[in-house]
């Protein structure tokens, strides 16, 4: 595994004290002070030219021919896909923090800085023992568990309900074998946004982290099939699972080990793989396997004015266009460019290793790739019980909310590529979504009682 | 309908009538063939939506259902000279049908506090049933019988063609900031209560249409296709979450009203492949009209995942217990020799027919019941394999109608064509326990799904001389065991279903489904039925079969 050859990780680790001695401040200090964040890192890790000794330049394509030059600086998923000529990556310049994370998220994080502690059960608390009140808790995290709390508290994104329309097309030898479309609705319970006047937690839902509902809308035999996951705040507890069975016309409860079942036919993701990791933290052992400069799809750079969402939806419906090859750049934004979107060199990427403690889990361990500025996960790679690489995926994203005025609707464009390397299934999962919220409501008109309860699911027979 | 006169089935037709039917049959055949060919030309990579835009979505499928009997003729049809008239004339049921679904959310009139949408589902079906030896007179039975006028169902039917508005309703929803949500569904719809799909213990609002498929499809997974949707009003009021106690996640009150035309359960017509009554018997099951069915349900969901429903309703009894009785006691096959069958022979007086079962009355009953489901998680080295969800349902009917003296020697004199009886009321209690569990038994990507269900019906009081008396019919117990092992990323799903009637009969159904591309779904199954007592005993000679079902999603 190339993990063992993390040259940049070694570089940073070995040089950490030296940086401090030389006056490198932490990236968090610089961001919160409003200073140039790049001062936190040496110039050698800030550009693709530096890490490849000039062999790859910003704006170049990474293809099968030159991918080995960046093997140490690509997640497992991207390296395998490019190596197999299934994906091309176009590089772009590194985004500044405020281009990939919202201002209010930074403000809340700064406000809560130093407040986060882990209790004896490994749950996130404030120093006075209360539930977390908002912002990224550990900035930066020092342990694997802290890093995963940064993920599950979901301080990322827009801190609110999301309404996705996304399609999954399973490709086998680049032939469409099945396609599905869903409405995915995520109710984030903690809130940091200044656009809401509510308490950080939904009233009555203080004991939960979030709820995820995935509803199939096509093809017809899966239409209406919906699964609801309720993730408790106490990460030593197992999540609850409910599903609307469209044939029996009722909501059924499922055993919690159903989270290790494929979400739908052809989709290599388990329910516990949603949002890259949707499993209780206490059922895994977390550690930081390495820190290195790495290319990640942090902000694939879509500009709101240039994205034609109706064209995208039309392209998504045409299975024969869903090729990873022949990607084009931003000048012609379409599905191909989404899936080959712009990746950039991130100077400090944390590789989190999770070893499963649940004997029912089909994985032995997994790697998750987390950027040190946004504290978001962008890629994952899971290994089977024999330690063989099994599944991986990228989470490419771009949102316009970072720089939008408060009263403007937010548009987002995200692509998840879950793949099953053992079965040679290569999946495209492009997400196109449009979300809007206005000052004071901040809930996209998606209340819990509309979607995230079993009573509500009975009425979602034909929702789309 | 040409062959129903005076409420009786008449199997003789004039030459003109036959010519009309044959012409219609040819038209339908041609239409279906052409449509099937057209659909097959659609590129397989197309998405399974016919149209989507302006708030309107159209979806649907064409389904080809094929059952080949492995047991030969149906004894109930011997006298009809129709299906299986000769020994060994196995029946090949071939039924193409199509469903189209329209859902519409109008772009106007919607607001944050009010939403509306409309839904319409239309189905068209034809029946090409034939005998493998070519001996079947296909038009000698009614493939789509209804025992009362079909206008209320918005259904047009002929001998082997049926088209109806299966479901059609409007949803309206009002949200308030502090007073909860109110939801209303108006129209022809299915109202489903309870959480256990098997045996429908608490799910008693809508009757079943078994005229096409006496047994449920494999695993009952498409049970929504045989439930008869009825006109009803369904309203739900959900209390705001901040009104609820801490341990309660949601609390909703549901009210249901059916304005009065409740259909009874439909059986296969005499002469049809799955007929349970001898061809000479005309079963008249017209329900009493104009009486409302009313019910309420309390839906509670707790923070620990426990779900509980409590409900009551009053409605006409839609299940006629006589066929159950016949099958349970194994008397169906022996009915062939019953002198009552001579009623329709020409030399006997005409104008009388059999009022069996609930005497064409379907009296109103009360039902009180509930359902409960809860997950049990274990973490021990071995006990973790027991992790699963326990579901329980119960239904108590204090006044279940049953016919007294159907078998009473003083009432059922041979030669008296008008068999009358008296309806008596007795309490009945039904409960069902369901445990769903899954474990990695085989080295596959998905766990083996195991479902174990036990259900018992218990009737109380004096059952002497009632139709529940014979064969120890006071109690009835069923055991259901289902295994499903998803393979190939869930595209291939082999399974095994066993339903065992403790009285001494069983149904064993190995099955496999395979999804191919976006649009094709193939189901293959065997129905192996055996035993000589209990619910499946009478079906042994007619329903052991090999089945395939090919579905093309439009």
């Amino acid at each position: 595994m190339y993990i063992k050859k993390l040259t940049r990780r070694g570089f940073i680790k070995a040089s950490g004290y030296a940086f401090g001695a030389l006056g490198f401040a932490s990236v968090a200090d610089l961001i919160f002070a409003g200073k140039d964040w790049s001062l936190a890192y040496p110039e050698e890790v800030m550009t693709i030219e530096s890490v490849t000794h000039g062999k790859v330049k910003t704006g170049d394509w990474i293809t099968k021919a030159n991918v080995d030059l960046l093997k140490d600086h690509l997640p497992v998923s991207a390296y395998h896909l490019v190596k197999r000529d299934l994906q091309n990556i176009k590089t772009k310049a590194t985004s500044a923090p405020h281009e990939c994370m919202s201002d209010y998220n930074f403000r809340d994080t700064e406000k809560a800085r130093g407040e986060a502690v882990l209790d004896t059960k490994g749950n996130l608390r404030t120093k006075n023992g209360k539930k977390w009140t908002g912002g990224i808790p550990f900035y930066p995290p020092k342990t694997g568990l802290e890093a995963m709390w940064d993920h599950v508290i979901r301080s990322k994104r827009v801190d609110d309900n999301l309404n996705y329309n996304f399609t999954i097309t399973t490709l086998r030898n680049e032939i469409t074998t099945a396609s599905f479309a869903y409405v995915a609705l995520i109710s984030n319970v903690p809130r940091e946004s200044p656009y809401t006047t509510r308490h950080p937690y939904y009233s009555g839902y203080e004991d939960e982290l979030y709820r995820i509902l995935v509803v199939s809308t096509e093809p017809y035999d899966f239409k209406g099939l919906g699964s609801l996951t309720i993730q408790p705040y106490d990460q030593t507890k197992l999540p609850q699972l409910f599903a609307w069975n469209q044939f029996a016309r009722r909501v059924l409860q499922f055993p919690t080990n159903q989270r290790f079942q494929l979400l739908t036919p052809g989709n290599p993701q388990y329910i516990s793989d949603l949002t890259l990791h949707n499993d209780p933290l206490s059922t895994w052992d977390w550690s930081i396997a390495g820190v290195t400069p790495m290319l990640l799809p942090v902000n694939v750079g879509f500009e709101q004015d240039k994205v034609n969402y109706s064209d995208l939806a039309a392209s998504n419906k045409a299975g024969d266009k869903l090729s990873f090859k022949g990607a084009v750049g931003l000048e012609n934004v379409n599905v191909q460019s989404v899936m080959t979107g712009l990746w950039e060199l991130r100077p400090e990427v944390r590789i989190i290793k999770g070893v499963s403690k649940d004997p029912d889990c089909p994985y032995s361990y997994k790697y998750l790739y987390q950027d040190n500025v946004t504290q978001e996960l962008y890629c994952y790679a899971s290994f089977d019980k024999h330690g063989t690489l099994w599944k991986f995926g990228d989470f490419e994203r771009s949102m316009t909310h970072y720089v939008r005025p408060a009263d403007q609707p937010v548009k987002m464009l995200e692509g998840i590529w879950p793949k099953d390397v053992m079965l040679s299934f290569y999946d495209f999962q492009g997400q196109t979504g449009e979300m809007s919220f206005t000052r004071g409501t901040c809930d996209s008109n998606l209340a819990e009682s509309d979607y995230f309860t079993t009573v509500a699911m009975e009425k979602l027979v034909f929702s789309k | 309908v040409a062959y129903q006169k005076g409420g009786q089935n008449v199997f003789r037709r004039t030459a003109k009538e036959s010519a009309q039917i044959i012409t219609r049959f040819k038209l339908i055949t041609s239409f279906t063939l052409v449509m099937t060919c057209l659909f097959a030309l659609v590129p397989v990579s197309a998405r399974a939506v016919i149209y989507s835009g302006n708030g309107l979505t159209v979806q649907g499928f064409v389904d080809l259902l094929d059952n080949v009997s492995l047991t030969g003729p149906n004894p109930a049809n011997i006298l009809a000279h129709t299906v299986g008239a000769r020994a060994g004339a196995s029946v090949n049921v071939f039924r193409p049908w199509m469903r189209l679904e329209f859902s519409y959310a109008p772009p106007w009139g919607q607001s944050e506090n009010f939403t509306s949408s409309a839904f319409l589902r239309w189905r068209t079906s034809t029946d090409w049933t034939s005998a493998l030896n070519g001996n079947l007179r296909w038009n000698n039975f009614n493939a789509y019988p209804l025992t009362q006028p079909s206008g209320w169902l918005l259904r047009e039917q002929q001998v082997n063609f049926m088209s109806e508005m299966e479901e059609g309703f409007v949803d309206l929803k009002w949200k308030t900031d502090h007073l909860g949500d109110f939801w209303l569904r108006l129209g022809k719809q299915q109202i489903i209560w309870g959480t256990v799909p098997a045996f429908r213990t608490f799910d008693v609002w809508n009757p079943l249409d078994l005229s096409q498929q006496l047994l449920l499809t494999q695993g009952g997974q498409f049970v929504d296709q045989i439930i008869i949707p009825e006109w009803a009003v369904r309203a739900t009021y959900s209390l705001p979450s901040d009104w609820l106690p801490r341990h309660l996640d949601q609390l909703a009150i549901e009210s249901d009203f059916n304005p009065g035309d409740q259909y009874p359960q439909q059986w296969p017509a005499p002469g049809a492949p799955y007929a349970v009554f001898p061809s000479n018997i005309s079963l008249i099951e017209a329900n009493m009209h104009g009486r409302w069915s009313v019910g309420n349900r309390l839906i509670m969901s707790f923070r620990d995942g426990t779900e509980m429903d409590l409900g009551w309703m009053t409605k006409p009894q839609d299940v006629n217990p006589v066929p159950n009785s016949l099958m349970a006691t194994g008397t169906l096959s022996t009915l062939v020799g019953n002198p009552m069958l001579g009623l329709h022979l020409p030399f006997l007086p005409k104008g009388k027919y059999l009022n069996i079962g609930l005497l064409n009355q379907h009296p109103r009953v009360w039902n009180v019941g509930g359902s409960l489901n809860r997950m049990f998680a274990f973490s021990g080295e071995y006990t973790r394999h027991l992790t699963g969800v326990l579901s329980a349902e119960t239904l108590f009917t204090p006044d279940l109608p049953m016919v007294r003296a159907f078998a009473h020697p003083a009432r059922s004199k041979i030669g008296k064509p008008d068999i009358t009886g008296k309806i008596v009321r007795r309490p009945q209690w039904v409960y069902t326990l369901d445990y769903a569990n899954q474990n990695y038994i085989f080295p596959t990507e998905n766990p083996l799904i195991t479902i174990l269900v036990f259900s018992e019906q218990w009737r109380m009081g004096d059952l002497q001389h009632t139709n529940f008396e014979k064969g120890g019919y006071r109690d009835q117990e069923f055991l259901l065991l289902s295994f499903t092992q998803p393979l190939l990323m869930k595209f291939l799903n082999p399974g095994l279903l066993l339903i065992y009637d403790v009285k001494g009969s069983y149904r064993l159904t190995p099955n496999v489904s395979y999804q191919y591309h976006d649009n094709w779904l193939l189901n293959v199954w065997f129905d192996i039925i055996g035993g000589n007592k209990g619910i499946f005993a009478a079906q042994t000679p007619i329903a052991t079969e090999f089945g395939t079902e090919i579905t093309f999603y439009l």
Side-chain angles (χ1 to χ4, degrees):
Chain A
M1 282 304 303
Y2 78 95
I3 293 291
K4 298 173 182 173
K5 300 186 289 182
L6 295 172
T7 55
R8 288 297 164 185
R9 176 191 61 175
F11 169 76
I12 288 180
K13 269 192 169 180
S15 308
Y17 293 109
F19 291 161
L22 290 170
F24 284 105
S26 81
V27 69
D29 291 337
L30 291 171
I31 291 172
F32 295 143
K35 296 179 179 174
D36 182 4
W37 72 294
S38 65
L39 295 175
Y41 302 106
E43 287 185 5
E44 287 86 342
V45 298
M46 292 302 291
T47 62
I48 298 170
E49 288 87 344
S50 302
V51 298
T52 60
H53 305 290
K55 292 174 183 172
V56 180
K57 297 181 175 59
T58 300
D60 284 355
W61 285 94
I62 300 173
T63 63
K64 185 181 178 182
N66 61 357
V67 68
D68 283 325
L69 293 170
L70 284 156
K71 186 176 180 181
D72 293 344
H73 304 288
L74 279 173
V76 173
S77 49
Y79 175 75
H80 275 263
L81 281 176
V82 177
K83 189 72 178 172
R84 294 181 186 209
D85 204 16
L86 291 165
Q87 180 185 10
N88 292 333
I89 288 174
K90 191 175 186 182
T91 56
K92 70 184 278 275
T94 302
S95 300
H98 291 271
E99 293 173 342
C100 48
M101 202 164 104
S102 59
D103 289 345
Y104 57 81
N105 207 341
F106 277 120
R107 282 199 296 270
D108 288 350
T109 302
E110 184 182 13
K111 189 178 170 185
R113 206 170 175 207
E115 279 293 308
V117 293
L118 294 179
D119 66 12
T120 53
K121 294 166 80 175
N123 285 323
L124 174 66
R125 303 285 172 188
T126 59
K127 277 185 174 172
N128 54 10
K130 302 281 180 60
K131 291 191 175 69
W132 188 242
T133 52
I136 299 173
F138 300 101
Y139 199 88
K142 295 182 181 62
T143 66
L145 185 58
E146 289 181 357
M148 288 309 294
W149 265 107
D150 283 352
H151 168 68
V152 299
I153 203 67
R154 310 192 61 76
S155 55
K156 57 195 175 186
R157 303 195 182 186
V158 285
D159 317 319
D160 209 328
N161 297 333
L162 303 182
N163 181 3
Y164 286 114
N165 266 312
F166 60 94
T167 60
I168 298 175
T169 303
T170 300
L171 300 179
R172 180 191 282 173
N173 301 325
E174 297 190 45
I175 297 171
T176 304
T177 54
S179 58
F180 305 91
Y182 304 98
V183 177
L185 307 154
I186 301 177
S187 171
N188 293 323
V189 180
R191 305 187 159 213
E192 304 86 10
S193 167
Y195 302 112
T196 180
T197 55
R198 295 189 191 180
H199 190 267
Y201 295 87
Y202 284 114
S203 175
Y205 295 85
E206 290 84 356
D207 292 336
E208 297 173 14
L209 271 181
Y210 53 84
R211 298 185 175 203
I212 298 180
L213 174 66
V214 178
V215 181
S216 306
T217 54
E218 54 183 301
Y220 186 86
D221 53 337
F222 291 98
K223 185 184 180 187
L225 176 67
S227 65
L228 173 70
T229 307
I230 302 176
Q231 195 70 252
Y233 188 95
D234 183 350
Q235 287 290 286
T236 62
K237 292 182 177 176
L238 298 174
Q240 298 169 19
L241 292 173
F242 297 91
W244 166 262
N245 183 319
Q246 72 275 28
F247 300 122
R249 299 285 182 94
R250 63 193 84 205
V251 176
L252 305 176
Q253 189 174 13
F254 286 96
T256 188
N257 47 6
Q258 175 115 12
R259 67 189 194 276
F260 300 123
Q261 261 206 24
L262 298 181
L263 190 61
T264 51
N267 184 349
Q269 284 183 303
Y270 293 120
I271 293 173
S272 58
D273 288 332
L274 286 170
T275 72
L276 302 186
H277 184 83
N278 183 37
D279 209 31
L281 296 182
S282 67
T283 60
W284 297 73
D285 272 329
W286 299 103
S287 61
I288 295 176
V291 182
T292 183
M294 190 172 272
L295 269 73
L296 286 181
V298 169
N299 185 357
V300 289
F302 297 113
E303 296 173 40
Q304 187 169 336
D305 297 339
K306 291 186 180 180
V307 176
N308 186 330
Y309 287 89
S310 57
D311 286 352
L312 255 168
S315 300
N316 271 343
K317 288 184 177 181
D320 56 353
K321 292 183 181 177
L322 300 178
S323 169
F324 298 138
K325 294 181 179 177
V328 295
L330 277 179
E331 62 276 11
N332 293 307
V333 174
N334 57 25
V335 172
Q336 284 89 340
S337 73
V338 173
M339 303 323 299
T340 57
L342 303 177
W343 290 45
E344 62 186 64
L345 187 77
R346 305 299 297 175
E348 190 175 357
V349 174
R350 195 173 295 108
I351 302 168
I352 304 167
K353 183 177 182 181
V355 180
S356 174
K357 294 190 288 187
D358 188 337
D360 284 337
C361 179
Y363 301 143
S364 56
Y365 60 93
K366 66 164 71 170
Y367 287 118
L368 296 155
Y369 299 84
Q370 186 180 45
D371 179 66
N372 191 45
V373 173
T374 64
Q375 307 301 344
E376 292 190 37
L377 303 179
Y378 293 91
C379 304
Y380 72 96
S382 304
F383 297 77
D384 71 1
K385 292 288 189 188
H386 303 289
T388 308
L389 178 63
W390 186 6
K391 298 179 182 183
F392 52 68
D394 304 339
F395 198 155
E396 303 190 358
R397 66 193 67 175
S398 178
M399 283 171 271
T400 59
H401 74 282
Y402 303 130
V403 291
R404 71 179 173 84
D407 55 350
Q408 293 294 310
V410 170
K411 289 187 177 183
M412 69 181 75
L413 202 56
E414 298 183 337
I416 299 178
W417 297 18
K419 295 118 192 150
D420 186 325
V421 71
M422 285 191 185
L423 286 176
S424 296
F425 274 76
Y426 291 91
D427 288 358
F428 170 93
Q429 179 177 331
Q431 298 189 5
T432 62
E434 187 169 337
M435 191 196 67
S436 62
F437 57 85
T438 54
R439 191 189 299 270
T441 57
C442 192
D443 60 6
S444 310
N445 203 21
L446 303 176
E448 300 77 47
S449 57
D450 288 343
Y451 297 94
F452 301 104
T453 64
T454 53
V455 173
M457 288 168 74
E458 289 189 17
K459 301 160 191 166
L460 287 174
V461 180
F462 53 90
S463 289
K464 183 165 184 179
Chain B
V1 179
Y3 54 87
Q4 278 198 352
K5 291 179 179 175
Q8 300 183 39
N9 284 354
V10 176
F11 295 101
R12 291 188 295 272
R13 295 194 181 88
T14 64
K16 187 181 176 184
E17 285 173 333
S18 296
Q20 287 174 345
I21 292 169
I22 290 170
T23 305
R24 201 159 50 226
F25 176 76
K26 285 179 178 174
L27 280 173
I28 295 163
T29 307
S30 309
F31 170 77
T32 311
L33 277 174
V34 169
M35 292 305 288
T36 306
C37 292
L38 281 177
F39 295 143
L41 290 175
V42 176
V44 291
S45 61
R47 304 302 301 274
V49 171
I50 299 169
Y51 174 79
S52 181
N54 300 319
L56 177 68
T57 304
V58 184
Q59 289 179 281
F61 60 78
V62 174
D63 189 285
L64 306 174
L65 180 73
D66 189 7
N67 289 11
V68 180
S69 172
L70 302 177
T71 51
N74 181 352
N77 291 330
I78 285 179
L79 291 181
H81 299 287
T82 57
V83 180
R86 291 181 187 172
S90 306
V91 178
N92 182 24
V93 174
F94 185 42
R95 185 175 302 127
W97 65 288
M98 181 169 70
R99 175 189 275 178
L100 282 178
E101 192 173 289
F102 304 82
S103 51
Y104 181 60
W108 34 262
Q110 311 278 8
S111 71
E112 192 172 330
N113 294 323
F114 175 78
T115 54
S116 64
S117 59
F119 179 78
L120 190 146
R121 176 179 280 174
W122 197 278
R123 68 172 171 174
T124 300
S125 180
T126 62
D127 190 306
W128 297 355
T129 296
S130 62
L132 293 182
N133 63 359
N135 191 40
L136 176 69
R137 290 157 61 185
W138 55 266
N139 55 357
N140 265 355
F141 66 90
N142 181 10
Y144 301 98
L146 268 182
T147 51
Q148 67 190 67
S150 54
W152 188 242
L153 290 182
L154 294 183
R155 172 168 166 169
E156 171 60 26
Q157 61 196 46
Q158 304 292 347
V159 175
N160 48 16
F161 174 78
M162 181 270 284
S163 186
E164 74 167 343
M165 191 187 81
E166 194 178 358
E167 286 180 273
F169 49 77
V170 173
D171 278 357
L172 305 170
K173 184 174 184 178
W174 291 268
K175 286 175 60 180
T176 64
D177 291 336
H178 304 291
L179 298 174
D181 301 340
F182 184 72
W183 177 79
L184 195 63
R185 175 168 289 176
L186 301 161
K188 196 181 175 198
Q189 58 180 298
Q190 297 181 18
I191 297 174
I192 307 293
W193 286 10
T195 57
V196 182
F199 303 122
R200 299 180 76 230
T201 301
F202 188 42
D203 176 23
V204 288
W205 263 99
N206 294 75
L208 292 180
D209 184 357
L210 303 177
S211 61
Q212 292 286 295
Q213 184 90 22
L214 182 60
L215 300 170
L216 302 182
T217 50
Q218 62 282 12
Q221 68 187 113
F222 302 113
V223 68
D224 67 325
Q225 294 174 5
I226 60 167
I227 290 176
I228 302 176
E230 294 185 324
W231 293 92
V233 179
R234 186 181 189 187
T236 304
Y237 170 63
S238 302
L239 275 70
S241 58
D242 47 1
W243 286 11
L244 303 179
R246 182 175 177 78
H247 297 292
L248 209 54
D249 184 19
Q250 53 182 332
L251 178 63
I253 301 164
E254 178 180 314
S255 296
D256 302 291
F257 309 92
N258 183 323
D261 237 350
Q262 194 122 359
Y263 276 69
Q265 181 167 294
Q266 302 295 312
W267 295 95
Y274 299 111
V276 292
F277 298 104
S279 309
N280 302 57
I281 288 181
S282 294
L283 177 64
I284 305 302
E285 281 239 280
N287 206 346
M288 293 183 74
H289 292 199
R291 303 183 68 182
W292 283 54
S293 298
V294 184
N296 288 100
R297 182 168 66 129
L298 193 65
I299 310 163
M300 285 171 283
S301 177
F302 295 86
R303 293 284 178 197
D304 64 354
T306 305
E307 299 238 304
M308 189 162 75
D309 291 6
L310 295 171
W312 70 271
M313 79 196 76
T314 175
K315 51 170 281 199
Q317 171 70 5
D318 54 33
V319 180
N320 189 332
V322 166
N324 285 333
S325 170
L326 291 175
M327 289 188 286
T329 54
T331 55
L332 180 64
S333 55
T334 62
L335 263 180
V336 176
N338 193 313
M340 286 192 298
L341 295 178
L343 288 173
H344 294 295
L345 297 178
F347 51 84
L348 289 176
K350 291 185 178 178
K352 299 289 184 183
Y353 54 90
L354 217 52
N355 275 324
I356 57 176
L358 295 176
L359 312 178
N360 192 19
Q361 292 180 25
H362 289 275
R364 179 170 295 271
V365 295
W366 283 81
N367 289 307
V368 182
S371 70
L372 179 80
N373 62 296
R374 189 180 197 285
M375 184 183 74
F376 290 90
F378 304 96
S379 56
E381 184 179 359
Y382 301 106
T383 54
R384 66 185 172 83
H385 296 295
L386 298 174
T387 295
V389 172
L390 175 68
S391 302
E393 281 190 10
T394 187
L395 188 78
F396 181 68
T397 309
D399 53 356
L400 183 76
M402 46 186 76
V403 181
R404 192 161 185 165
F406 168 68
H408 197 281
R411 300 267 183 154
S412 57
K413 281 184 180 177
I414 297 170
K416 268 198 169 183
D418 190 1
I419 306 300
T420 56
K422 180 185 177 186
I423 290 180
V424 294
R425 306 266 191 168
R426 296 289 181 266
Q428 175 182 262
W429 180 45
V430 188
Y431 68 91
T432 301
L433 301 173
D434 177 307
Y435 199 72
N437 163 280
Q438 43 198 342
N439 277 294
Y440 286 91
I441 305 295
F442 308 106
T444 60
E445 192 170 20
N446 286 286
L448 175 75
I449 303 165
T450 309
I451 299 172
L452 176 66
V453 188
F454 176 76
S455 182
E456 180 171 28
Q457 302 175 8
W458 187 261
R459 297 168 190 99
M460 291 158 264
D462 176 17
L463 300 182
Q464 193 176 17
H465 303 315
T466 69
N467 49 292
F468 286 106
E469 181 188 17
K470 292 186 70 179
Y473 208 52
R474 178 182 290 276
D475 60 316
Q476 203 172 4
E477 296 87 11
F478 299 102
L479 194 63
L480 182 147
L481 195 56
S482 166
F483 299 101
T484 306
Q485 177 59 69
L487 298 171
L488 291 181
M489 300 185 82
K490 282 189 167 180
F491 284 117
L492 185 68
N493 293 286
L496 181 68
L497 172 73
L498 170 68
I499 308 176
Y500 177 62
D501 183 341
V502 176
K503 292 282 185 295
S505 61
Y506 62 89
R507 175 193 177 193
L508 185 65
T509 309
N511 63 78
V512 62
S513 71
Y514 179 62
Q515 178 162 359
Y516 179 69
H517 284 274
D518 293 358
N519 304 77
W520 295 97
L521 183 68
L522 172 67
N523 283 311
V524 179
W525 69 93
F526 277 100
D527 268 327
I528 303 163
I529 296 175
N532 52 17
K533 286 184 179 177
I535 195 79
F536 298 111
Q539 299 169 21
T540 306
I542 60 172
T544 296
E545 62 187 7
F546 168 71
T548 60
E549 186 174 18
I550 301 171
T551 308
F552 181 79
Y553 296 97
L554 305 177

